[in-house]
């Protein structure tokens, strides 16, 4: 695992340098979602692939930017799914973005996940790595230094609701509004990494991306985004559900399968399960 951890650190430093350059224009290519890729998306994907190709313990990689997985070494044990630059469309307005990594053993799937990691590129570059515990690291003078272990409170104060409101189910909107009625603060940037990072570091809250009328199965991808953050939140003392079931119990038939997802501290996740059980 150490060699994978070291490779992620190297990719983070290189991606930070790539973000700092001026040219972030659109390419002529589309990713697996049919979205036009930024040059920066392609560059970050290439950086990660290059670094991972050198790690002898990595069997296969799968990128959110590519339709199919790529096999490196058939006798190696780690399978890594990653989103090279989550929220890349926020770079041109100078908001935080991030990279997400799900580390699986012997094959992809939540039941095979052994670690998860994400990197936040903001005013500072921070990395969160979860294996047995969730740990925060800060980039200082070209090295990632351990800062602290992260644990969520039982109840938070942040509400980060994703998806277009006009496409929400009425009961979902009522639930979101009920948290605001309790005094929760709206914190939603449109980037999964910075929003979930904020909830983790501020002690708790709720990030939600429901099924909507235009995307009934959710928008976020299981292998690249949903499972890694579910793993991190569970290791941090919180929870992650699709409304009724724990996200880490979901299967995955295709590498680009999506899921409805809620991440938060225990109080908020209990409320989600109560509301969705009543309306399912």
């Amino acid at each position: 695992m150490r060699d994978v951890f070291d490779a992620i650190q190297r990719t983070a430093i290189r991606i930070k340098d790539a973000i700092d350059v001026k040219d972030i224009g659109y390419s002529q290519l589309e990713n697996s979602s049919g979205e036009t890729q930024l040059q920066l998306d392609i560059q970050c994907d290439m950086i990660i692939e290059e670094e991972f190709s050198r790690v002898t313990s990595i069997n296969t990689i799968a990128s959110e930017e590519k339709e199919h997985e790529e096999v490196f070494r058939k006798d190696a044990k780690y399978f890594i799914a990653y989103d090279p630059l989550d929220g890349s469309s926020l770079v041109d307005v100078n908001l935080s973005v991030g990279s997400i990594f799900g580390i699986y053993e012997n094959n992809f799937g939540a039941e095979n996940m052994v670690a998860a990691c994400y990197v936040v590129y903001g005013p500072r570059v921070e990395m969160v790595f979860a294996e047995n515990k969730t740990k925060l690291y800060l980039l200082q003078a070209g090295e990632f230094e351990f800062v602290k272990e992260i644990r969520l409170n039982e109840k938070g104060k942040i509400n980060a609701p994703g998806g277009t409101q006009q496409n929400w189910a009425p009961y979902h909107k009522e639930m979101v509004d009920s948290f605001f009625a309790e005094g929760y603060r709206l914190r939603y940037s449109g980037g999964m990494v910075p929003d979930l990072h904020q909830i983790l570091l501020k002690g708790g809250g709720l990030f939600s991306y429901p099924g909507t009328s235009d995307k009934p199965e959710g928008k976020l991808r299981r292998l690249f985004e949903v499972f890694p953050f579910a793993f991190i939140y569970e290791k941090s003392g919180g929870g992650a559900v699709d409304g009724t079931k724990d996200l880490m119990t979901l299967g995955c038939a295709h590498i680009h399968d999506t899921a409805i997802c809620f991440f938060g501290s225990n109080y908020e996740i209990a409320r989600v399960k109560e509301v969705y059980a009543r309306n399912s």
Side-chain angles (χ1 to χ4, degrees), residues 20-131:
D20 286 345
V21 303
K22 186 166 60 175
D23 182 16
I24 56 166
Y26 285 94
S27 71
Q28 300 302 309
L29 304 176
E30 291 185 348
N31 65 12
S32 59
S33 309
E35 301 163 334
T36 303
Q37 292 173 295
L38 289 169
Q39 297 284 359
L40 190 56
D41 287 317
I42 298 168
Q43 186 177 358
C44 293
D45 190 34
M46 291 173 63
I47 287 169
I48 295 172
E49 182 177 344
E50 181 181 313
E51 291 292 347
F52 282 172
S53 70
R54 300 170 180 161
V55 180
T56 57
S57 64
I58 294 177
N59 182 308
T60 300
I61 62 169
S63 168
E64 199 265 347
E65 296 296 329
K66 291 190 176 76
E67 184 64 29
H68 303 289
E69 60 262 54
E70 181 174 348
V71 178
F72 286 155
R73 298 167 189 86
K74 291 185 177 180
D75 58 344
K77 68 177 179 177
Y78 292 124
F79 288 64
I80 302 183
Y82 61 90
D83 185 346
L85 199 63
D86 170 74
S88 57
S89 61
L90 301 174
V91 171
D92 63 346
V93 292
N94 208 27
L95 292 179
S96 295
V97 294
S99 302
I100 312 169
F101 304 88
I103 303 166
Y104 305 86
E105 195 167 299
N106 300 323
N107 205 349
F108 292 118
E111 70 279 9
N112 299 315
M113 178 165 274
V114 292
C117 178
Y118 68 85
V119 181
V120 186
Y121 310 101
R124 306 190 300 179
V125 177
E126 294 182 324
M127 177 174 62
V128 171
F129 188 90
E131 192 174 5

Side-chain angles (χ1 to χ4, degrees), residues 12 15 17 19-20 45 57 59-60 68 88-89 93 146 149 158 165 179 199 201 209 211 230 235 257 264 273:
I15 288 172
D17 291 341
I19 291 170
D20 286 345
D45 190 34
S57 64
N59 182 308
T60 300
H68 303 289
S88 57
S89 61
V93 292
F146 173 74
E149 184 182 333
I158 295 171
Q165 288 195 36
F179 285 116
I199 290 170
L201 293 196
Y209 212 108
K235 294 298 183 184
D257 281 352
K273 291 170 81 170

